[in-house]
Amino acid sequence: MNHIIQDKYIPQQLLYFLAGRRCCQQFPCTFRTSEHEAFANNARSLGLRSQVVHVNGNSCVKVYKQACRHYLEEPKTLVLSSGATLNMFTLLSRKSLMGKEDLELYADLVSMKANASDLPSLHLPLPAIRPPNLRFWTEAQLNFLTAFLGHSLSDEILQSLYASRVIVYNAALCWDKSVFLPLVILDDCRNKKSNVKIMCIERQAILATYNSQRTANFFGEQLGETVGIQLPYFSAVSSSTFIIYSTAQYFLRSLTSQQFRNISHLVVNDVHLHDPYTDILLSEIRMALSSHQNLRVVLLSQMGNPKKFTDFFGEGLQLNMIKQPEVAPRVSYLNELHSCIALAGIHKGPDIYKEIPEAFRANNPRNEQMDKCLQAYGELGTDAALRPFLYAVNYDLAPVNYRHSLTGKTAVHFASELNKANHLRLLLFMGADPYIVDLFQQNAISLAAMNGNHECIDVLNSYSLHGYVVKSAKPDFVDYDLIIDIMYLLRTKPEYSPGEYSPGNILIILPTYYHIVKLNYMILSHCLTGSLQECSIFLLYDNMRNDYLQALVNASDETVKVVLATDIIESLCLKVPFKYQIDTACRLNNVYDTTSCSGDDRFEWVAKDALLRRELILQPNKGDVQCFRLISKEAYEELSETSQPSLQTMQLDKICLAVKLLSPNTIISEYLGITISPPPLINVHHAVQFLKKIDVLDDAEDVTWLGCRLMDIPVSCQLGRMLIFGILLRCLDPILTIVSSLSTADPLGIPFTEDIDNLWDRFTIYIQNSIKKERTYLSDNQFSDHFIFVRLYKEWQNRMHNRTPPLYLKDEYEFMLNGLMEQLTSIRSEIVSSLRAANLIHSRGKLSMNNLNQMSCNWHMVKAALTGGMYPNIYAVDTRKSSLKSAFSGNVSMHPNTVLRDFLEPLNISAQSFRTPWIVCNRQKSHIVYATLVVPLAVAMFSGHPRIRLSPICDSEMSLTDRNVNVFIDEWIWMVMSKATAEMVMRTRYYFFKMYHDLLKHCSELDMWRRDCEPVSQYTVLTDTLSKIFESEDGFVGFFKPPPITFLPTPQLPSLYLLSVNAHFSWAREVEENMLSKPHHFNSHFIERQFFVLYAGGDCEEFHSRNTPAFIESVLGKFVRPIDTPNRHIFVILYRKDPDMMLSISRAKFVNGVFMLQEYFRNNIPVFEILDACVSLNVQTPVFDGRLMSALIDKRVGNLIMELFAFRHHWIHKR
Amino acid sequence: MDFESKYCTSQVNGTITITTRKVLDENLKSLLDEGKGELFLSCIPRNHSCSPRWIVEVASELGEVYIMRYKIDFSGNSRGYAYLQYINVDLKESAMQYLPMRFRQLCMCLRVEPSTNNRELVLKNVESSLRPWQVYQEMLKIHPFTIVRVYEYQLDQFFYIFEYRNNDSAASAHQRVRNSIRKFGEHAHISWLTAENILSRASGSFCFQREVSQNRTRRVPPRQKGCFKF
Amino acid sequence: MLNARDVCPEGNDDQQLDHNFKQMEEHLALMVEGNENEDPRKATCEYEDTNEDGATCTSGVLSEIQENFGRLRLCDVTAPLLEFHGLDCLQQIQKRSRHFAFDGSPAKKSRSGGVLVTGPKQKQLQKENVWNRKSKGSASADNIEKLPITIEKLHMIGLHGDCLEHNAVLRLMNLFRSLHDHLTADLGFSRQNSMPSDYLFDMPVKSTMPKSLNVRYQLQVLCTKVERFLVQQRRTLEANRHFDFEKYDECDKLLKGFASYLDNFKLLLKPKMRNRNGNSGSNADKFHTQRMERLLIGLRDWIKAAHLSVHVFNWEMDLEHRYSGAMTESHKSLNERAILLSGAELRAAEARGISAEDLFIAQRYKLGGPIYCVLEQHEFLSALIANPETYFPPSVVAICGPQKLGAVSMEQPSASEEEFEETEEVPSSPPRHTGRVPRFRS
């Protein structure tokens, strides 16, 4: 038998493996040592590689193909520094730690599952259900009710509610269903004296807050009386509450203990949007309907055909109120927009920067290399010669239209000159522009014609025949310039607004908060320079603070409002009439990709139904309205009718956890399979496998203690785990910063050419280099992108001087930084309060904020926490093959964003400076975007399953005589270390994970963490020692000492920066200050501007601190007062000598008779720039001679200076 | 009379309040609101065996309860303590005798003590650029208090003791001040006033205080130094 | 329009300023005088004497408060009170507490001392503590001599330096775990070949080992499982009996041997196994455990041998007798494909060198870095050049394709021919275009 096994069976198995999809395979442990040899020999003859690994105490053969990315060419060594060894030894020799061997923690022996009774549940005490004893409606309330669009149908609605348990009420947003319906139901129950308690489920907390507030206002009460609210951080209900607003996610959490008791009606809003938690709630409701006979369910939707919901429930009635509107708004698409704008001949933007010579190209290695790439292609023209250029475009963010520094030729020029039709097509696909003219006034088409290259001419012909098809339309990039153009069209060219001229409110729908902030600055700068009429800007986005919404609701009708919103606008029933809508028609979707095994942010077009809903926000019946869609007509035609429910595309980690807590005994994939939008099985499988890997679920798919704690923390499971490690290693503050930075947009991300405005995109390479340089500076030789987050946040905080950010503007980058940091701080404080709620942070004792931040200044501890938290996203550099190895088989490259790699730098070059082979990172698709180099010890200590023991994972039996031992921590992490080291590390690791387990299991027992009792005080010693150990390891490996990270323990209130800036510069404020009855009397086109220059001794800060307003008035007042009228604005430009700089530009005005300077911009701009401009424009130059006050300067010069301030680019003008 | 018509239950964030529905006269109400005769119940078990409603039902065997504030954590479990007040203030003493006994009969070992009604907060390490009157105004914006005592312990270094109407409002003030503590400088710190703090006692006995009537305050000559009170 | 020059001739700014300042000073002086005159007349009330050793700033605070009096809303009855205690006030407290000391209020004294007097002392104490701790730390560090850490030292801290498990019960548990793994091992693993080998694609493993430290219980479970396993193997074997008797006989002997071993093994169940917290007590127990380990290892070997032989026998019979013609065909073609692939693997095993052309480009144009970068992404870039259509959405590919009907253009589709003729001489004038180019965030 044995020879059959060795000669026939094993070779055949290897052949099967070769023909299959796997890149490596571990064979069962049943094979014996003799067969292991047979495997090794046969594998070698087939060109495969083999290895004997130890898993669970069994030795198995593993076979790898050559391309396998799990195989380490050689084991990574782990050698401890003497300091670390000593500290570890001291730690282990502590009598108190040794104690009795306690076997509690050993994984496979004791169940680690969290008991169902221990699961943290939300016990929301809903008061008992009873009939309402309300007064009858007052006159005002009745009027309010009749104002609802659905009022005439209320009888019909009630009839259908009696008739069936489920009704789907389908009507447009303006019907305001989620406020109206509860009132109708309540009214009916009052008349019938029947029991009532209505739960209204919204998609987001802000919607619940807004709607509950309005309903409470209807009763003229505070929240918590008739109308209640239940949200994670704000709840108010009482025994007289009949209507309660909540979110789907929060309501689901309370379901486990509450079921559907004490609820008579359940109103679920926005079911058509298929929010994942709403979808899960629907299946819970379907299950509940069988046991709760009297539950009434009302689903509110705005979709074409709500049949799918009644089908899902198998019962119910539809009330469909959506009809084709009689009047549709005028909709224009990209094609028309472009021609319209071209015809209108808009003159916008700063003249001064258009003249700038392309001075930023020279002496820059990256430009030289790009030139070389083009040159090589131009001279050789082969595939191989094109590849470096393609690489630069595809992997290094170089613009595809890169022009050679000397000849001005682009790659397309060369391709058509050399008659490479296939190259030409590829370049055109990639977005190259064949009409660019080189220095010899030739473009690609003329070159092809000159050389008679027919193939290329064919290609270019068909390209040009597509004529006015706009090629710029991709969902990936928002064309801010186009939006500004449309604004100009609407605000400065009355002939394009239909009918008689009346300024209307503008709604601009953008994909994300990041886009909102960027556009906000652009609009502000155009308004402040006076080229756009003044308006008031408002922002609406997901997770915003209520203040933003209230600002818009309370704004007076007089001002022209420009509202920048994300798709949350589809659920907000505002009373603001909009006349124009600019819809970017794209959205950001996080899509789980099963091939790269990661969730990727993808920009996509929204579906047709969403566009229709947005169109209806304009309320076409109310008059002439117009809608601009930034999508070409053709692309619009191809859109799908409805978008895919997010359950089917998203990363499912949190969803799986939520499902598991809802029904602990169902298999997750089964549960999700019967929801209304069942996700693909493979996605569920991946999510479950991933959760098992990071110890959120155990092998039997039960929730572990970690899972219990992560449930209520509003970040993904991976990031939640990172927070836990931050708590364990007591460096919470930096970890918090990193986690919240990872969940917001990065202010220092390296942009594509397309991300840069038209004004500056010639300088893409230069801007990218500057940002890269800034990143390198911030990372301070720590080989870490995560360190940049921490540094950036700290520097920003220090610049604030503990105050709210200043209200003047500097440049776009500063504005965006403040805006993004505002979001970051709010996410940060949300995370902190959720950690408090989960009892992971206590107000006093060992888990108090102060205690958890004792190690926050030690970057080496933060790195250790990152390693544990980011597992399994760990990569190792394999120098021999110069490739990255990891748990994922996909090919991975380093994105230019990360500081570990320079532009156009191959891995083997970058790896030369690496201190260790281990990289912890975040991926986007197959790019490593943020990475940190970590010490091998951190990998050995924190990666792998929390409860592995040494003897089953090392080959000690095989190497009895050896000093060293091979350790297999994971399916691919393979280390070799001395036996003593292995034992000490694993023992320390054991203590660490004991602490991990204790924390997760017992964190809600407050007393245990207050007193200095045994295990808890041991943990302090443990982390202290770990800190020393990692410090000496860091030094041993050769990391530089990081600059100390100072940390501020006090929580900070999110500052509402954008809100205050927009209020500061809003037109409404202007109107208020001037006490004008109507703004129509004048608009900014009749406003004249006058400019003074004023000498300030030092910089602005000094100037304002040294001089009181009274002094400034005494200097300026006498000039300003006589000539300041509502139609004439006076501006003051501050400057200084040596170096000659313009410092700021402010508006001088009198508010209620008091003189004040309202600073618009503050920056340092060298005076020579304006002098040059004056010469070129042939205008008399102003005098900057250091006298206190100079006379009026030429208006044109003043405007130029204003533009210099407003449109400055941070990275280009950085000195 | 059933429970619902007698008492009104409401929950705001971490507090479940059960209040009487009876209309009381203003003086008594303000007296009660200041925390007169308040009892402190502790050792309430964390599970749901001891609901607020149950406690009030037991307590009202003695007399009508004015208000009961029962503290819960985020998952809705008791945090182990509650505050109780009777409409009749004089019931406090007898309640301290009767209630523990009654609870023990019902197999619940709740402790009943007089409430300290701690309603004073200390604000320390305020940035020196902020003057006392500015602090006064800022704090007023955050939460209304009844009295503030300012102590100068070194030249131009102050600390402030704010007294609120009752413990409940002091607690919410504490929460809100902590959220916006950075207004008062980088190292500012708010905390409850503990009994050991000598100055709270000193202010009563030794402190040299001077009444300055309102019409005079405007013209106190700059030479005068010392303490004053509005 | 007003020109500033009319108001203020050039060069006179400074004069103008001086003038303004003078005016202001006069104004101020007037105000001050007025106050001084008013004060004595209107101050009708008498003030108590105050200590003159008070802080100078108190008056500053007071005047500030007066300045901002209007903003304090003191007229309001409901406005909160403000009580102010100046520095002298505190000093007085200190003085008085010192003064009252002989009256016998030690508590107060100590308390005030704790707060106000011994601040520096406390600091000193803290420093001492820190120093003590340090010296203690260094002392303990001295106790342990410097590296290397020897086996003896490891023994001191309860480690052995051989990476073996020294706890008998845990060792047994390891064995149990391993045995369970062997029992559930799936030798028909080739069907996993259709999935990638990342952990995300792994099938969930049913772990059947009970979670318990009770050796006796573990043994019972194991025995029943092994018996069931034996029965299963026997069934498989019997199914192949008629194909090849020789091999059948060999396997049959194996299984019989296995069965008899198992019977011996069961005898061990009779004596009670006791263990407390993983430490077996008496010597007898220890001996017992060792014997049990030996037996378990033996059992594992039997399982391995039996499982493998029976499975391979069955597999071979499948291949030879049970496969249909089509199945054998596909099996053959699969093998051929695999052998081709193995050729590719062998070629890949030799380190891929840099091609001559790449080398030339790298040297001639000094593009070493980019060329090596290209090598890292060689597959993708080559594929991109070879078949660009597969990497772009159809709407983009259409740009260079023949014209669609939907395209906005005034010409007939046939006109493209004429267009082509024209382009020979004159390039068609470029249509207006926007600065934007399509690009996908990759």
Side-chain angles (χ1 to χ4, degrees), chain A residues 840-855:
Chain A
L840 288 162
I841 301 180
H842 300 165
S843 47
R844 61 185 80 105
K846 293 283 177 196
L847 293 182
S848 68
M849 207 53 174
N850 272 336
N851 259 324
L852 292 180
N853 277 317
Q854 278 176 350
M855 301 294 172

Side-chain angles (χ1 to χ4, degrees), chain A residues 1 4 8-9 12-13 15-16 18 20-25 27-32 35 46-47 58 65-66 70 82 85 89 93 103 106 108-109 111 338 369 372 376 379 382 384 387-388 390-391 393-395 398 401 425 428-431 433 435 454 461-463 465-466 471-472 474 476-477 597 685-686 689-690 693 754-755 872 887 889 891 893 905-907 927 949 951 956 971 979-980 983 987 1088 1090 1114 1118 1123 1188-1189, chain C residues 1-2 13 16-17 20 147 149 153-154 157-165 170 174 177-178 181-182 185-187 189 192-202 211-213 247 250 278 304-305 308-309 311 313 315-316 320 331 334-335 337-338 341-342 345-346 349 357 364-365 367 369-370 372-374 376-378 380 384-385 388-389 392 396-401 411 423-424 430-431 433-434 436-442:
Chain A
M1 213 59 227
I4 298 180
K8 205 170 161 188
Y9 182 72
Q12 184 59 55
Q13 295 305 322
L15 285 180
Y16 284 147
L18 258 175
R21 270 184 69 186
R22 299 177 76 89
C23 58
C24 57
Q25 180 160 24
F27 290 98
C29 49
T30 314
F31 293 100
R32 293 157 293 190
E35 278 110 15
L46 289 171
N58 305 313
K65 290 181 186 169
Q66 294 290 343
H70 303 112
S82 57
T85 322
F89 188 85
S93 61
L103 305 172
Y106 288 131
D108 23 357
L109 312 175
S111 165
H338 279 299
Q369 282 196 308
K372 290 266 170 56
E379 289 173 14
T382 53
R387 265 186 231 131
L390 283 183
Y391 179 88
V393 175
N394 274 304
Y395 291 89
N401 287 321
R425 289 180 59 214
L428 291 175
F429 289 164
M430 286 166 65
D433 180 356
Y435 304 116
H454 296 291
N461 261 327
S462 36
Y463 181 85
L465 275 181
H466 281 259
K471 299 170 190 80
S472 71
K474 290 283 162 294
D476 300 53
F477 302 99
C597 307
H685 181 75
H686 276 200
Q689 284 295 114
F690 172 72
K693 187 88 175 169
E754 291 85 346
D755 289 320
S889 51
N891 185 2
S893 63
E905 188 180 69
L907 180 67
H927 300 287
R949 280 174 298 147
S951 55
S956 49
E971 78 271 16
K979 283 183 172 170
E983 287 205 334
R987 176 63 66 91
E1088 181 191 357
Q1090 295 291 357
S1114 70
K1118 59 175 184 281
I1123 58 173
L1188 197 51
M1189 180 77 191
Chain C
M1 189 180 85
L2 257 169
D13 312 38
Q16 181 69 36
L17 246 185
N20 287 353
L147 294 166
I149 286 184
K153 280 187 198 156
L154 283 177
I157 59 171
L159 296 175
H160 301 273
D162 54 3
C163 293
L164 296 173
E165 184 59 68
L170 282 180
N174 280 350
R177 152 106 279 162
S178 169
D181 286 347
H182 279 85
D186 177 18
L187 286 177
F189 45 82
Q192 301 166 355
N193 281 326
S194 55
M195 290 300 241
S197 30
D198 294 353
Y199 74 90
L200 288 161
F201 292 91
D202 289 349
K211 290 187 188 304
S212 160
L213 278 172
K247 285 173 184 159
E250 196 179 331
K304 280 183 173 185
L308 256 182
S309 305
H311 180 84
F313 177 42
W315 170 81
E316 200 185 14
E320 286 174 7
H331 179 77
L334 186 141
N335 279 357
R337 199 169 77 237
L341 284 168
S342 95
E345 288 289 325
L346 282 170
E357 190 179 10
R364 166 83 175 73
Y365 299 99
L367 284 174
Y372 277 101
C373 286
V374 167
E376 283 171 25
Q377 305 297 341
H378 197 271
F380 172 76
L384 184 67
I385 293 180
E389 289 82 1
F392 294 93
V396 174
V397 173
I399 289 180
C400 299
E411 293 133 6
T423 41
E424 290 262 288
H433 71 281
T434 50
R436 284 297 164 120
V437 284
R439 167 75 143 304
F440 300 94
R441 288 181 191 270
S442 50

Side-chain angles (χ1 to χ4, degrees), chain C residues 291-310:
Chain C
R291 190 168 142 215
M292 189 152 160
E293 259 179 72
R294 270 201 314 277
L295 283 167
L296 282 171
I297 290 173
L299 187 66
R300 188 166 69 181
D301 291 342
W302 276 108
I303 293 177
K304 280 183 173 185
H307 194 180
L308 256 182
S309 305
V310 173

Side-chain angles (χ1 to χ4, degrees), chain A residues 295-544:
Chain A
L295 189 64
R296 290 283 180 272
V297 181
V298 184
L299 307 178
L300 307 177
S301 78
Q302 323 167 27
M303 66 189 302
N305 184 8
K307 190 169 174 300
K308 68 191 284 193
F309 293 104
T310 42
D311 288 351
F312 178 71
F313 282 99
E315 60 178 308
L317 285 177
Q318 299 173 20
L319 283 172
N320 204 341
M321 303 300 160
I322 287 194
K323 302 171 200 72
Q324 267 326 102
E326 308 81 52
V327 208
R330 298 188 302 141
V331 180
S332 14
Y333 293 93
L334 263 186
N335 330 27
E336 305 152 51
L337 276 174
H338 279 299
S339 49
C340 206
I341 286 166
L343 283 175
I346 287 171
H347 174 78
K348 66 152 195 185
D351 304 315
I352 187 156
Y353 286 123
K354 285 180 186 161
E355 306 304 319
I356 287 198
E358 305 199 6
F360 301 104
R361 314 185 56 123
N363 60 41
N364 165 353
R366 197 167 157 221
N367 278 114
E368 281 170 27
Q369 282 196 308
M370 290 300 298
D371 288 348
K372 290 266 170 56
C373 289
L374 280 181
Q375 191 192 342
Y377 178 58
E379 289 173 14
L380 303 175
T382 53
D383 284 0
L386 180 60
R387 265 186 231 131
F389 178 75
L390 283 183
Y391 179 88
V393 175
N394 274 304
Y395 291 89
D396 263 1
L397 309 187
V400 67
N401 287 321
Y402 178 81
R403 303 176 65 183
H404 191 283
S405 309
L406 301 174
T407 59
K409 283 183 194 290
T410 64
V412 178
H413 280 108
F414 291 118
S416 59
E417 197 172 13
L418 297 165
N419 198 17
K420 294 282 180 186
N422 57 338
H423 291 176
L424 180 63
R425 289 180 59 214
L426 172 60
L427 289 167
L428 291 175
F429 289 164
M430 286 166 65
D433 180 356
Y435 304 116
I436 292 180
V437 177
D438 66 4
L439 293 186
F440 314 109
Q441 301 307 314
Q442 300 287 340
N443 65 15
I445 302 170
S446 59
L447 278 176
M450 246 161 51
N451 297 328
N453 296 335
H454 296 291
E455 285 175 71
C456 288
I457 295 173
D458 275 356
V459 172
L460 288 167
N461 261 327
S462 36
Y463 181 85
S464 58
L465 275 181
H466 281 259
Y468 273 83
V469 176
V470 182
K471 299 170 190 80
S472 71
K474 290 283 162 294
D476 300 53
F477 302 99
V478 168
D479 196 341
Y480 305 99
D481 295 296
L482 184 59
I483 298 178
I484 296 287
D485 281 340
I486 298 174
M487 299 269 299
Y488 269 88
L489 201 64
L490 297 178
R491 307 299 311 274
T492 62
K493 304 274 178 185
E495 61 270 25
Y496 286 97
S497 351
E500 102 282 12
Y501 175 71
S502 63
N505 298 330
I506 305 177
L507 171 65
I508 305 178
I509 305 178
L510 295 154
T512 67
Y513 178 74
Y514 178 89
H515 295 92
I516 288 184
V517 184
K518 184 165 162 86
L519 190 64
N520 190 349
Y521 183 82
M522 288 181 83
I523 296 179
L524 262 184
S525 57
H526 281 277
C527 284
L528 292 183
T529 49
S531 16
L532 269 183
Q533 283 172 17
E534 284 87 346
C535 49
S536 310
I537 304 175
F538 298 95
L539 314 178
L540 300 175
Y541 54 94
D542 318 23
N543 309 322
M544 64 185 152

Side-chain angles (χ1 to χ4, degrees), chain A residues 121-123 125 130 230 232-239 797 802 833 836-837 839 1004 1048 1050-1053, chain B residues 4 7-13 16 21 46 48 72-77 178-182 185-186 188:
Chain A
S121 66
L122 276 177
H123 179 76
R130 44 195 205 99
Q230 280 187 332
Y233 311 116
F234 177 57
S235 66
V237 286
S238 71
S239 48
Q797 266 197 325
N802 315 316
S833 33
R836 281 184 192 282
N839 277 320
S1004 46
L1048 302 161
T1050 32
Q1052 236 193 341
L1053 198 73
Chain B
E4 273 301 328
Y7 293 105
C8 168
T9 317
S10 68
Q11 181 222 336
V12 173
N13 294 345
I16 296 180
R21 288 185 187 270
R46 273 185 58 101
H48 308 306
I72 55 172
D73 66 5
F74 287 91
S75 31
N77 300 321
R178 217 178 51 191
N179 279 337
S180 46
I181 189 78
R182 295 295 290 273
E186 199 171 324

Side-chain angles (χ1 to χ4, degrees), chain C residues 89-249:
Chain C
C89 162
L90 294 196
Q91 283 169 345
Q92 266 190 347
I93 296 170
Q94 257 170 293
K95 267 186 213 164
R96 289 192 192 194
S97 59
R98 241 172 273 146
H99 187 243
F100 286 133
F102 63 89
D103 279 354
S105 53
K108 257 171 207 161
K109 184 193 166 188
S110 68
R111 200 177 282 147
S112 70
V115 173
L116 296 162
V117 180
T118 59
K121 259 189 200 171
Q122 272 184 337
K123 268 183 197 163
Q124 196 184 334
L125 274 175
Q126 281 172 358
K127 268 185 196 166
E128 280 175 14
N129 282 340
V130 170
W131 190 84
N132 282 341
R133 219 174 294 148
K134 267 188 197 163
S135 59
K136 216 181 276 176
S138 63
S140 65
D142 287 343
N143 290 342
I144 305 154
E145 288 127 55
K146 291 278 175 269
L147 294 166
I149 286 184
T150 55
I151 296 293
E152 288 73 38
K153 280 187 198 156
L154 283 177
H155 282 310
M156 262 173 58
I157 59 171
L159 296 175
H160 301 273
D162 54 3
C163 293
L164 296 173
E165 184 59 68
H166 286 264
N167 181 319
V169 175
L170 282 180
R171 230 168 29 237
L172 280 179
M173 289 300 160
N174 280 350
L175 272 172
F176 281 127
R177 152 106 279 162
S178 169
L179 277 159
H180 279 278
D181 286 347
H182 279 85
L183 289 174
T184 48
D186 177 18
L187 286 177
F189 45 82
S190 50
R191 70 180 90 97
Q192 301 166 355
N193 281 326
S194 55
M195 290 300 241
S197 30
D198 294 353
Y199 74 90
L200 288 161
F201 292 91
D202 289 349
M203 282 297 127
V205 193
K206 257 290 178 200
S207 165
T208 47
M209 182 175 165
K211 290 187 188 304
S212 160
L213 278 172
N214 183 334
V215 176
R216 188 186 165 80
Y217 173 62
Q218 289 280 12
L219 259 180
Q220 278 175 332
V221 174
L222 185 75
C223 283
T224 44
K225 281 198 73 175
V226 171
E227 276 168 13
R228 210 172 301 152
F229 177 77
L230 247 178
V231 172
Q232 221 177 318
Q233 297 305 321
R234 172 61 69 184
R235 198 180 302 134
T236 317
L237 182 63
E238 293 306 323
N240 295 308
R241 179 180 196 151
H242 53 284
F243 288 129
D244 184 333
F245 191 77
E246 244 175 69
K247 285 173 184 159
Y248 168 80
D249 193 45

